[in-house]
């Protein structure tokens, strides 16, 4: 069931990217579309290797910055950019390299909240962003960064291993990856985001090409 859910998510956000790309070709000044496109890329980054994830997150950041150049006060784009910066920070193995991304993330979460003070998702994101550097430090300290980020999410659903010890170790690292990405990638608003994204996509989508 879990594998099926992950596959559904993968296909959904791949299709969302295609729709956003087509929309962009018609109207490159649609800030809402750019924000949806970036959000889909952030979701898809969870299914990639580290280098590919980094490229995908940077692509998302670029699209969010483009959206904000069109509408600087777009709070959902600011919030999404905070998530993207945090996600990229966790992709690094050095604290000094990750720090600027964490700092930017906090700034973007604060700006999003300033634009929409009553948004509890933005408020919660700002609160938990303060814990991100400490979590990152613990990951590095225990040497879990490569274990956690070195493979796609298929590791989180794989139960085969050569030994019980290896299986347990993989389970712990994949659980950590799930916990962190569950917060970072669109954070506490994942259900809200998916609902928002679905509302923007025509209900009668053609099936993705095989």
């Amino acid at each position: 069931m879990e594998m099926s859910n992950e596959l559904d998510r993968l296909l959904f956000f791949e299709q969302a990217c295609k729709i956003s790309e087509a929309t962009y070709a018609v109207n490159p000044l649609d800030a809402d579309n750019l924000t949806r496109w970036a959000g889909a890329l952030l979701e898809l980054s969870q299914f990639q290797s580290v280098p590919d994830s980094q490229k995908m997150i940077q692509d998302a950041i670029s699209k969010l910055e483009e959206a904000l150049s069109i509408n600087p006060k777009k709070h959902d784009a600011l919030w999404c950019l905070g998530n993207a910066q945090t996600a990229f920070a966790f992709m690094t193995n050095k604290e000094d390299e990750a720090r600027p991304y964490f700092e930017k993330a906090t700034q973007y979460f604060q700006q999003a909240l300033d634009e929409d003070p009553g948004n509890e998702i933005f408020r919660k994101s700002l609160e938990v962003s303060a814990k991100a550097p400490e979590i990152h430090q613990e990951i590095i300290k225990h040497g879990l960064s490569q274990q956690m980020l070195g493979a796609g999410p298929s590791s989180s659903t794989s139960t085969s291993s050569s030994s019980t010890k290896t299986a347990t170790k993989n389970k712990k690292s994949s659980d950590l990856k799930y916990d962190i990405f569950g917060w970072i990638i669109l954070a506490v608003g994942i259900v809200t985001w998916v609902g928002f994204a679905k509302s923007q996509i025509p209900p009668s989508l053609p099936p993705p090409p095989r």
Side-chain angles (χ1 to χ4, degrees), residues 75 78-79 107-117 122:
H75 50 73
L78 288 164
W79 174 69
Q107 292 173 7
Y108 286 125
F109 286 140
Q110 182 64 64
Q111 289 178 43
L113 186 60
D114 289 344
E115 294 299 331
D116 188 6
F122 296 172

Side-chain angles (χ1 to χ4, degrees), residues 19 198-205:
I19 292 173
K198 285 182 177 179
S199 72
Q200 306 299 319
I201 296 178
S204 57
L205 282 175

